[in-house]
Amino acid sequence: MAQLDYLAPLKVEDAVKALAATGSYALAGGTDLLVQLRSGRIRPDTIVDLKRIAGTIGIREEAGGFVIGAATPGAMIGEHEALSRAWPGLVEAVSLIGSTQVQGRASLAGNLCNASPAADSVPAMIAARAVCVVVGPAGRREVPVEAIGTAPGRTSLAPGEFVLEIRLPPRPARSSDAYLRLIPRTEMDIAVVGAGVNLTLDAAGVVIEAQVALGAVAPTALLVPDAGAALVGSKLDEASLAALDTAARAACHPISDKRGTAEYRTKIAGVLARRAAFIAYERAGARA
Amino acid sequence: MSDVLDGPGVQPDLKVVGTRPIRPDGADKVTGRAAFGADFNMPGQLVGKILRSPHAHAKIVSIDTRKARALPGVKAVVTGADFPNLASEMHEGGEAASNLRDLAMNVIARDKALYDGHAVAAVAATSSAIADEALRLITVTYEVLPHVIDVEAAMSPDAPVLHAHLFTEGLEVRPTSASNVARRNQITRGDLAEGFAAADVIVEGRYTTQAVHQGYIEPHACVAAWVEDGQCDVWSSSQGQFMVRTYCAKILGLEISDIRVTPAEIGGGFGGKTTVYLEPLALALSRQSGHPVKMVMTREEVFRATGPTSGAVILVKLGAKVDGTMTAAEVELKYQAGAFPGSPVGAGSMTALACYDIPNFLITGWDVVTNSPKVAAYRAPGAPIAAFGVESAVDDLARKLGMDPLALRERNGVRNGVKAAYGPTFQNIGYLETLAAIKDCPQYSLPLGPNQGRGVAAGFWFNVGGESTAAVHVNEDGSVVVVTGNPDIGGSRAAMAMMAAETLGVPMQRVRPRIADTASIGFSMLTGGSRTTFATGMAVVQAAEKVVADLKRRAALLWEVPADKVEWRNGAAVCLDPAKADPKPMTLEILAGQSARTGGPISAQVSLNAQGAGPGFGVHVCDVEIDPETGHVTVLRYTAAQDVGKAIHPSYVEGQVQGGVAQGVGWALNEEYIFDSDGRMENAGFLDYRVPVASDLPMIDTILVEVANPRHPFGAKGVGEVPIVPPLAAVANAIRSAIGVRMADLPLSPPKIRAVMDARAS
Ligand SMILES: Cc1cc2nc3c(=O)[nH]c(=O)nc-3n(C[C@H](O)[C@H](O)[C@H](O)COP(=O)(O)OP(=O)(O)OC[C@H]3O[C@@H](n4cnc5c(N)ncnc54)[C@H](O)[C@@H]3O)c2cc1C
């Protein structure tokens, strides 16, 4: 008969060792892992709970940016005032995950490492230029968020590696972000398309930096440099928004499935990118 | 808004009926004390699990269970071979009739698996993990066959045939070869050609719906214990413990009196729990193992293997004069039955035109088997599908005539004395009153903004009566127990207690309603067909009346006066004999305390077959707003008016109406079974099978129109099914009004609406 071991190491090294074995899975909030375990989609030999390792839960400010522990639950992120002021788009993306109950557990790293192309926080993290601190048998490395997911359910993490924390860069003035997703219902649903936009304006309200990331329109969440470039130098006039819409759609290569056709997803990517850009712009202007 | 509009025939001066007391089962439910199907356990019980077909259609060549049986901890393994093969025999269950042979083959496949999820074997083991492992160790050799799920594809002559014995019934000439068309039914009146010839305006439409599930929150669950002497006990959550008993006896070849079924609290049924899936398997596993066996379905199993309702194609053609008078209607309904005959197309046909008085019509219904789970009853089975087509077409007709849609319905609406399209002559119906209630409701005249639309639709359901038993026991302290055999799926405990209290003249809090096992109360048909408050309520009232008569007799005995000199008023016997010097009224308490002196325990039981259930009508108005860029639909406002006869407990009637609307909106906007190209269900979970969540719906306003049913002691009509009939079309008509395009293929999900917006723009 199959046996399932549960480990809750206190030290990074012990977790790394345990995770190096085949059949070992990292556990953060478990809101993906336990569902997959119950449905029989995965049959782990060992579950390695990361939540007792120092630094995996909590939010701190460091060198002008924020460091978020990999297993920090959504509810803590949503309640963090300074983080919400600096990164309202990222925080709204995290807060969209599941329900109040799920928010008590669901984490950024879990959302990222589950490697669903539709994960809500991932486009927002990518647009924010967030970086993962990855630890493993070969030591510690820093990896941009968009380099973690490689395909649905697959990551670039080597055996024994896990995400320890997620770092957000320092925030200049007149910067803000926004995240929007389309779901057929109003909550408790999975994104048919997600769009994160992160902007910095100059004193005159002209966009000087823009990052656009899309979810659920390709095997992994995408950073779309052309879409960001379409906004730089503009005040979000009609022409730049139309260019954004076109660039966003051009980047999409979605599948048609039960959650939406490729054609629909592509159109909506343009719509949401425009709408998110508009919200980010308003927010950035207000942070003069 | 929530209104109760008293209409004709409603009794004045009621003290309990029509009030809104707290439900007797409320504390249990909000504290978690209520014991649902999965909450029951027995010492030494095993875990039962089911191996299900991964194929939509396959011959079962062989099943090898040897490895599973050899696994330590496995105590029983059953397959179709362990069950008797039954002859074809129809059994009337209360909501729908079932063929016992098909029912047994649906519980466990014999030579063929007919849908993805069809049970092929079951195991009982000492733990859940061992049971899972045992399922993996069973080898089933299948010969995969071509499958068919789409209803029209299944009707085509070259479709793969599910049942070699199935020859279409109801045709003029019996066909010479087997097909998937189980039956054709027709209802007709007048001369169709003449009717259309007399029309100034004709509208036509083709509409489709997808299979949708009842979506009850509680998965099926049971514990079964088979004792060596052949006595069986079953604890399960269902809409009828007597139904479970009968079906288990038939499927396993047992004597009915050898089975006792105890109903658990039920976490939703909506018609879906009017049949058995687990209980016969659990009994067979218990017989083989000698242990009690507990089985609980996963959500995935509920979706893959328990009854949804039909996906369908609906064709409608309507003709009318310029003044709106309808001259002819032609309706054709093609319903998926799932793996065995018995779609609700019969009821769909009977209800399709029930709101309309049309001289010439033809309604044709097709019952078609498909490689999908056998459909089960779902709230007004068949009616919402037919109404979606007819009410959409009526909306188009109103538009073409330039008439208000309510006025068009009023002009052609059925009233007392009109012969219904399905046969009987309507009496004491409240359809016109219900139309008027919507016309007068505030929502109907609110201005609409950009991208907003308003739709109305009507709906009808028969409601039924049938066999019920109730007992009323007066305890020695004057408190009262009311016992019935109907699981409470919609607040019926409250209704039973209130009707007993009203009849006895005591406060409702002194009456405790109980739902008994099959050995502790006489037979009752299941809770379905909106029958319980009407039929079981009638039995409760008659039993309470018997108790009152007995109490009067006892008081007369104590006063030494003739029985006709005693009257029952406000819960006490009053002496009318002027010769008696001022005898104080004798309350129920006093009489109960002296029952030993007047003939022993005070108790009465009534068993009856209730006739005269009153049909119900609903009229709904829905306001929506469309996001033209995403195709997302927001339901802004919704008002539902319904003729309910007399609302025994208005809050729970409103709850029924709101619940029906919520399910209907889900059906209209997002719910659907999605199958892959191999016929496997792709969305067997609440993530991708999208029932509405609370934030998807506005407050659903209700207007209870009370046109009493004289055949019920307090005028009640069934209320639980009517409200799911109009919403599909009400939502579709609102979207039509918002975007200017008729959308005829449910669900009206965002991608479909966006595609229409794009087509409209170009
Ligand atoms: C009811 C419900 C609603 C949901 N709604 C949404 C939604 O709206 N949007 C959305 O995006 N998701 C949703 N989800 C999915 C899920 O909640 C999120 O993906 C969540 O962020 C996962 O985080 P977790 O901490 O629970 O991850 P876990 O389940 O603990 O882990 C998920 C995966 O990541 C791996 N992992 C976890 N932590 C690490 C780490 N530090 N390093 C490396 N690998 C790691 C695990 O091994 C596992 O493979 C929902 C889930 C449920 C049950």
Side-chain angles (χ1 to χ4, degrees):
Chain A
M1 281 302 299
Q3 179 183 315
L4 176 59
D5 290 335
Y6 169 83
L7 302 176
L10 303 175
K11 289 200 205 120
V12 168
E13 306 84 78
D14 295 339
V16 166
K17 208 180 290 167
L19 283 169
T22 47
S24 283
Y25 283 78
L27 173 77
T31 59
D32 279 315
L33 192 79
L34 298 187
V35 175
Q36 291 161 12
L37 181 72
R38 264 194 78 168
S39 74
R41 213 176 99 195
I42 57 166
R43 297 179 66 195
D45 298 318
T46 308
I47 284 180
V48 184
D49 189 341
L50 305 177
K51 293 194 288 296
R52 299 225 188 143
I53 298 169
T56 56
I57 295 184
I59 301 164
R60 59 181 200 276
E61 284 179 69
E62 207 178 280
F66 287 91
V67 181
I68 304 173
T72 307
M76 276 177 75
I77 295 172
E79 284 166 9
H80 198 282
E81 282 179 19
L83 183 69
S84 302
R85 268 195 309 274
W87 299 98
L90 175 63
V91 172
E92 75 195 343
V94 176
S95 303
L96 282 174
I97 296 174
S99 57
T100 303
Q101 294 91 325
V102 170
Q103 282 286 312
R105 288 275 160 183
S107 68
L108 281 179
N111 200 220
L112 175 62
C113 297
N114 186 55
S116 158
D120 281 307
S121 73
V122 177
M125 283 195 282
I126 293 174
R129 309 308 298 124
V131 168
C132 296
V133 175
V134 173
V135 289
R140 180 184 169 108
R141 60 190 179 107
E142 296 208 352
V143 189
V145 164
E146 61 272 24
I148 296 285
T150 55
R154 297 255 174 89
T155 67
S156 57
L157 297 176
E161 279 192 325
F162 69 91
V163 177
L164 183 66
E165 55 195 27
I166 287 159
R167 292 175 167 261
L168 291 166
R171 205 66 168 134
R174 289 182 297 278
S175 307
S176 198
D177 61 343
Y179 175 78
L180 288 175
R181 69 173 182 182
L182 184 113
I183 54 172
R185 290 182 290 197
T186 47
E187 57 182 318
M188 293 304 286
D189 216 326
I190 186 163
V192 176
V193 177
V197 175
N198 179 22
L199 301 177
T200 301
L201 318 183
D202 69 11
V206 174
V207 176
I208 51 173
E209 231 192 296
Q211 311 288 350
V212 176
L214 299 173
V217 292
T220 63
L222 300 176
L223 179 67
V224 189
D226 288 353
L231 299 178
V232 173
S234 82
K235 290 183 167 181
L236 296 204
D237 51 286
E238 294 251 333
S240 62
L241 285 173
L244 165 69
D245 190 319
T246 307
R249 281 186 282 120
C252 297
H253 45 106
I255 51 164
S256 288
D257 69 2
K258 61 194 171 192
R259 292 175 186 147
T261 60
E263 192 197 353
Y264 179 71
R265 287 191 146 122
T266 305
K267 285 179 192 162
I268 298 305
V271 173
L272 294 191
R274 274 192 278 115
R275 291 181 181 183
F278 189 79
I279 297 167
Y281 187 85
E282 296 276 293
R283 286 176 179 166
R287 288 188 73 238
Chain B
M1 188 187 74
S2 132
D3 277 346
V4 181
L5 310 177
D6 269 0
V10 168
Q11 279 180 48
D13 306 330
L14 294 171
K15 293 197 171 63
V16 182
V17 165
T19 65
R20 299 170 186 253
I22 289 172
R23 62 199 297 158
D25 48 317
D28 275 0
K29 283 178 177 159
V30 298
T31 58
R33 208 180 69 138
F36 292 87
D39 292 327
F40 188 78
N41 292 296
M42 280 189 84
Q45 80 192 9
L46 303 174
V47 179
K49 295 208 181 194
I50 297 175
L51 184 68
R52 298 183 179 279
S53 168
H55 305 296
H57 194 192
K59 210 176 139 197
I60 299 172
V61 180
S62 65
I63 306 178
D64 186 344
T65 63
R66 283 171 300 182
K67 279 191 194 147
R69 283 179 200 279
L71 184 71
V74 173
K75 303 291 181 188
V77 182
V78 297
T79 68
D82 294 287
F83 294 81
N85 284 318
L86 303 183
S88 178
E89 181 195 335
M90 294 309 286
H91 182 268
E92 189 55 59
E95 178 84 90
S98 292
N99 186 314
L100 294 170
R101 177 198 57 199
D102 295 345
L103 186 68
M105 290 205 294
N106 193 39
V107 165
I108 190 157
R110 309 294 152 100
D111 51 341
K112 253 190 176 192
L114 292 161
Y115 54 93
D116 163 47
H118 198 169
V120 293
V123 302
T126 49
S127 77
S128 177
I130 296 174
D132 283 331
E133 186 64 27
L135 294 183
R136 279 190 286 272
L137 292 173
I138 297 174
T139 311
V140 185
T141 308
Y142 293 102
E143 183 187 318
V144 179
L145 302 169
H147 71 277
V148 63
I149 293 175
D150 176 78
V151 67
E152 287 183 327
M155 293 173 80
S156 114
D158 41 78
V161 171
L162 273 72
H163 303 286
H165 62 258
L166 194 66
F167 291 78
T168 310
E169 287 177 36
L171 299 178
E172 289 76 16
V173 186
R174 186 183 149 88
T176 52
S177 55
S179 75
N180 296 321
V181 182
R183 168 183 283 278
R184 184 193 70 170
N185 66 66
Q186 286 196 313
I187 311 174
T188 183
R189 182 183 297 169
D191 184 321
L192 201 62
E194 221 166 76
F196 280 116
D200 300 315
V201 172
I202 288 178
V203 295
E204 274 185 88
R206 178 182 187 277
Y207 310 86
T208 63
T209 70
Q210 299 302 317
V212 295
H213 198 272
Q214 296 82 349
Y216 32 81
I217 295 302
E218 183 198 22
H220 300 257
C222 73
V223 176
W226 185 309
V227 185
E228 286 79 351
D229 65 358
Q231 299 289 306
C232 305
D233 261 300
V234 177
W235 295 263
S236 81
S237 155
S238 79
Q239 287 175 242
Q241 58 271 44
F242 292 93
M243 170 277 298
V244 172
R245 186 180 68 165
T246 304
Y247 286 163
C248 287
K250 295 279 185 187
I251 291 171
L252 292 156
L254 299 172
E255 187 117 358
I256 283 180
S257 58
D258 285 343
I259 308 180
R260 178 176 58 178
V261 181
T262 304
E265 199 60 59
I266 175 169
F270 312 109
K273 290 179 183 162
T274 57
T275 186
V276 291
Y277 300 101
L278 296 176
E279 292 87 348
L281 296 175
L283 276 169
L285 290 167
S286 177
R287 173 172 55 185
Q288 202 183 91
S289 64
H291 294 273
V293 173
K294 178 168 179 172
M295 300 184 85
V296 181
M297 282 197 196
T298 62
R299 178 64 56 192
E300 185 188 342
E301 288 181 289
V302 171
F303 274 113
R304 285 172 66 207
T306 73
T309 193
S310 315
V313 174
I314 309 113
L315 303 161
V316 183
K317 183 177 174 188
L318 300 175
K321 296 276 195 198
V322 276
D323 69 355
T325 308
M326 287 157 91
T327 58
E330 187 174 9
V331 179
E332 188 175 6
L333 305 168
K334 305 169 187 176
Y335 283 23
Q336 287 171 330
F340 300 95
S343 77
V345 74
S349 307
M350 288 164 79
T351 57
L353 298 175
C355 294
Y356 299 93
D357 184 8
I358 307 176
N360 309 292
F361 63 81
L362 170 64
I363 306 164
T364 306
W366 302 92
D367 181 28
V368 184
V369 296
T370 50
N371 291 112
S372 47
K374 165 75 174 77
V375 302
Y378 181 14
R379 250 181 150 150
I385 299 169
F388 170 57
V390 171
E391 293 299 301
S392 294
V394 170
D395 195 65
D396 285 347
L397 183 62
R399 221 169 273 282
K400 218 165 168 177
L401 290 164
M403 261 180 102
D404 173 88
L406 291 175
L408 176 62
R409 286 175 174 84
E410 193 192 342
R411 171 166 298 258
N412 298 284
V414 289
R415 51 208 81 201
N416 292 333
V418 167
K419 189 171 152 61
Y422 65 98
T425 299
F426 282 126
Q427 295 299 345
N428 309 302
I429 61 169
Y431 180 43
L432 297 183
E433 290 85 342
T434 308
L435 280 169
I438 286 297
K439 198 164 131 197
D440 294 343
C441 81
Q443 186 189 333
Y444 197 63
S445 40
L446 277 182
L448 291 169
N451 296 315
Q452 296 183 354
R454 174 168 298 145
V456 298
F460 164 89
W461 186 246
F462 317 92
N463 304 318
V464 302
E467 297 168 68
S468 279
T469 302
V472 174
H473 308 300
V474 178
N475 304 316
E476 56 270 36
D477 62 356
S479 64
V480 178
V481 175
V482 171
V483 187
T484 68
N486 282 103
D488 178 358
I489 56 174
S492 60
R493 281 191 187 87
M496 299 306 132
M498 290 170 77
M499 288 186 278
E502 186 76 58
T503 309
L504 295 169
V506 299
M508 187 252 204
Q509 291 68 23
R510 297 231 72 193
V511 181
R512 181 55 53 183
R514 299 280 179 198
I515 298 158
D517 65 69
T518 54
S520 306
I521 186 76
F523 179 82
S524 296
M525 289 170 116
L526 54 74
T527 301
S530 300
R531 61 177 293 279
T532 303
T533 300
F534 175 73
T536 308
M538 192 185 281
V540 165
V541 171
Q542 289 186 13
E545 283 168 346
K546 271 192 173 178
V547 165
V548 168
D550 188 32
L551 289 166
K552 282 162 50 180
R553 183 191 60 76
R554 289 170 193 252
L557 210 65
L558 292 170
W559 277 322
E560 296 175 335
V561 300
D564 64 355
K565 288 281 181 278
V566 178
E567 222 175 63
W568 191 257
R569 281 185 214 150
N570 299 326
V574 179
C575 185
L576 301 180
D577 191 337
K580 286 279 156 187
D582 186 32
K584 280 207 191 89
M586 265 191 272
T587 61
L588 184 64
E589 261 148 309
I590 294 170
L591 287 164
Q594 305 190 37
S595 62
R597 287 175 54 208
T598 55
I602 304 167
S603 159
Q605 176 162 325
V606 167
S607 293
L608 48 72
N609 188 352
Q611 303 299 314
F617 293 85
V619 180
H620 295 189
V621 55
C622 172
D623 291 358
V624 299
E625 182 169 323
I626 314 286
D627 179 333
E629 285 193 312
T630 63
H632 194 277
V633 176
T634 303
V635 179
L636 296 174
R637 289 176 285 270
Y638 203 106
T639 305
Q642 186 173 319
D643 170 24
V644 300
K646 170 71 194 170
I648 305 298
H649 191 305
S651 298
Y652 302 155
V653 172
E654 287 156 6
Q656 286 291 318
V657 173
Q658 291 165 328
V661 171
Q663 287 185 310
V665 169
W667 196 338
L669 290 181
N670 282 307
E671 292 181 40
E672 62 176 322
Y673 267 54
I674 303 171
F675 295 97
D676 69 12
S677 57
D678 294 323
R680 296 193 181 106
M681 188 180 179
E682 283 199 289
N683 58 337
F686 279 137
L687 179 55
D688 285 303
Y689 181 90
R690 295 188 169 83
V691 300
V693 296
S695 53
D696 290 337
L697 298 165
M699 182 62 195
I700 296 158
D701 293 327
T702 60
I703 305 169
L704 306 183
V705 178
E706 296 191 322
V707 177
N709 172 14
R711 304 290 295 274
H712 181 271
F714 300 109
K717 296 174 180 171
V719 301
E721 297 180 283
V722 175
I724 201 175
V725 183
L728 284 59
V731 171
N733 292 343
I735 292 173
R736 164 69 186 79
S737 131
I739 67 175
V741 179
R742 166 63 54 195
M743 299 199 56
D745 301 308
L746 296 188
L748 304 178
S749 53
K752 285 188 196 159
I753 299 204
R754 167 76 204 238
V756 168
M757 302 305 292
D758 288 346
R760 205 186 62 168
S762 67

